[in-house]
Amino acid sequence: MVCSRTIVRFWQRIVMLLAAALICTSCSTIGSVSYNPWQVISLPTEANLQDVAFTGNPDRGWVVGSQATLFETTDGGTNWKQIVLDIDEPRSRFSSVSFSGSEGWIVGQPSVLLHTTDEGNSWTRIALSAQLPGSPSTIAALGPKAAEMTTDVGAIYRTSDGGKNWKAVVQDSFGVVRNINRFEDGQYVAVSSKGNFYSVWKPGQEAWEPHNRNSSRRLQNMGFTKDGRLWMLARGGQIQFSDPESAEGWAKPFFPDRKASWGLLDLAYRTDNEVWVAGGGGNLLCSLDGGKTWQKDREVEDVPANFYKIVFMGPDRGFVLGAKGTLLKYQGSAQAA
């Protein structure tokens, strides 16, 4: 009897050790950042935040989101005040905001275009043609009365008269996009709605250049590195950078953190070498060497929100936008972390 109990206890310990080993193999082995440079700001809204931009005044900025959400800051992004606009569709999704000096633009769905010339003290609704392919997706302020707008089917339009008239700069759209990103020289990269291919457009081209994804993993998001190469986020937490010196055009894919494999959603550069990646479940990763090695910011792991987008206006100013009014403000120095 005693022998049988000893055997039972022996096997219980074996099972416990195996369970502990299994748990440890699922634990994140990625290192931690030396300090957390992000201040967590919870805006009083259940909306998902989509974009942020500042006027020529570095203290005054705007955040937009779903449910026609609009917040204004006058102290550089520490405190925010909600602004309610009188528009016909109060459930509209504001998806993009951009400023050049005091002139700014907001676009959204189903068909929203707002314009200001006084830093947002007043906003004017501009009617869009019913023949516009798709709904407005992104907007980039280019200078006095000039802006470039994309739609969710890959159409690109440009105005030079304050939004009165828009000219198509690409002849054909390529289908519903998951996301679309613009480089400072005017290039665009867009991911298809199903994540099975991507397309690139450069100024002067008449049409998008389609490309099949280079693995079985569906694409989540794509954008541009500091030097104009492409980065790619795919399902399963995979990251990949384009490599002009490679015959395939892409460097080998890698997984910075297996524990975060269920969703990496955006990537942004703070400096030439410091890269941040945001994802679901409060995941925020950082590389200080251009993406070769990675660390994790564990101070924000308990934030109960997905992180959708990262925006840096410079090395000393940046924001992470998330679900349910979650906003992270960069509060580190302009030096590398």
Side-chain angles (χ1 to χ4, degrees):
M1 189 70 170
V2 174
C3 182
S4 63
R5 289 179 179 176
T6 301
I7 294 174
V8 169
R9 286 197 295 268
F10 171 79
W11 284 109
Q12 285 177 337
R13 289 175 182 174
I14 292 296
V15 171
M16 292 174 65
L17 288 172
L18 290 174
L22 181 61
I23 292 173
C24 287
T25 58
S26 66
C27 290
S28 173
T29 58
I30 191 172
S32 299
V33 295
S34 58
Y35 77 104
N36 169 35
W38 299 96
Q39 175 190 2
V40 181
I41 301 172
S42 296
L43 302 184
T45 177
E46 289 295 305
N48 295 333
L49 305 183
Q50 301 293 325
D51 200 11
V52 57
F54 277 73
T55 71
N57 176 356
D59 289 329
R60 192 168 191 187
W62 297 86
V63 160
V64 298
S66 60
Q67 302 174 25
T69 295
L70 183 62
F71 281 87
E72 175 193 14
T73 181
T74 56
D75 62 4
T78 301
N79 296 285
W80 296 83
K81 176 184 177 182
Q82 188 163 14
I83 305 297
V84 179
L85 299 179
D86 184 15
I87 60 175
D88 296 335
E89 302 91 0
R91 305 292 292 180
S92 295
R93 176 179 178 265
F94 294 165
S95 57
S96 181
V97 57
S98 182
F99 273 87
S100 176
S102 60
E103 185 174 16
W105 307 79
I106 293 174
V107 296
Q109 299 81 40
S111 183
V112 176
L113 173 62
L114 305 175
H115 182 224
T116 181
T117 57
D118 55 11
E119 294 188 345
N121 291 328
S122 61
W123 293 90
T124 300
R125 177 79 179 266
I126 298 177
L128 291 170
S129 170
Q131 279 71 47
L132 180 73
S135 296
S137 179
T138 70
I139 189 80
L142 302 180
K145 297 185 178 182
E148 200 166 75
M149 176 178 64
T150 71
T151 74
D152 58 6
V153 294
I156 306 175
Y157 285 85
R158 191 174 295 155
T159 182
S160 57
D161 59 7
K164 296 178 183 178
N165 297 282
W166 294 85
K167 180 181 179 181
V169 297
V170 61
Q171 296 304 313
D172 296 310
S173 56
F174 68 88
V176 180
V177 302
R178 177 189 296 268
N179 44 57
I180 183 169
N181 285 306
R182 184 180 191 273
F183 191 49
E184 57 189 19
D185 67 356
Q187 295 184 71
Y188 284 93
V189 60
V191 175
S192 67
S193 60
K194 294 182 179 180
N196 55 349
F197 73 95
Y198 68 94
S199 296
V200 177
W201 180 84
K202 298 179 181 179
Q205 293 181 330
E206 293 186 355
W208 288 87
E209 294 180 6
H211 300 267
N212 292 324
R213 67 179 190 263
N214 55 11
S215 75
S216 61
R217 297 177 182 272
R218 292 188 181 274
L219 305 179
Q220 291 280 75
N221 198 359
M222 292 184 66
F224 295 92
T225 65
K226 278 284 190 177
D227 58 4
R229 293 178 296 118
L230 290 171
W231 55 259
M232 176 189 295
L233 302 180
R235 294 278 179 90
Q238 177 179 290
I239 300 179
Q240 198 170 8
F241 294 95
S242 64
D243 182 4
E245 299 180 359
S246 169
E248 291 80 17
W250 289 91
K252 185 178 179 180
F254 60 92
F255 303 84
D257 185 7
R258 290 283 183 176
K259 190 178 181 181
S261 62
W262 63 281
L264 298 179
L265 304 176
D266 196 23
L267 181 152
Y269 283 74
R270 189 181 74 84
T271 66
D272 289 347
N273 293 313
E274 186 176 321
V275 190
W276 289 84
V277 173
N283 278 294
L284 195 58
L285 310 179
C286 176
S287 173
L288 303 179
D289 53 15
K292 296 177 182 177
T293 61
W294 292 85
Q295 302 172 346
K296 188 170 188 177
D297 191 334
R298 288 186 164 81
E299 295 294 324
V300 299
E301 276 187 313
D302 294 332
V303 176
N306 294 332
F307 298 152
Y308 296 130
K309 187 171 184 178
I310 312 173
V311 179
F312 282 104
M313 297 85 176
D316 60 347
R317 172 172 296 182
F319 296 87
V320 177
L321 298 99
K324 297 183 178 180
T326 300
L327 183 69
L328 308 184
K329 178 191 175 187
Y330 182 80
Q331 55 183 5
S333 68
Q335 304 300 317

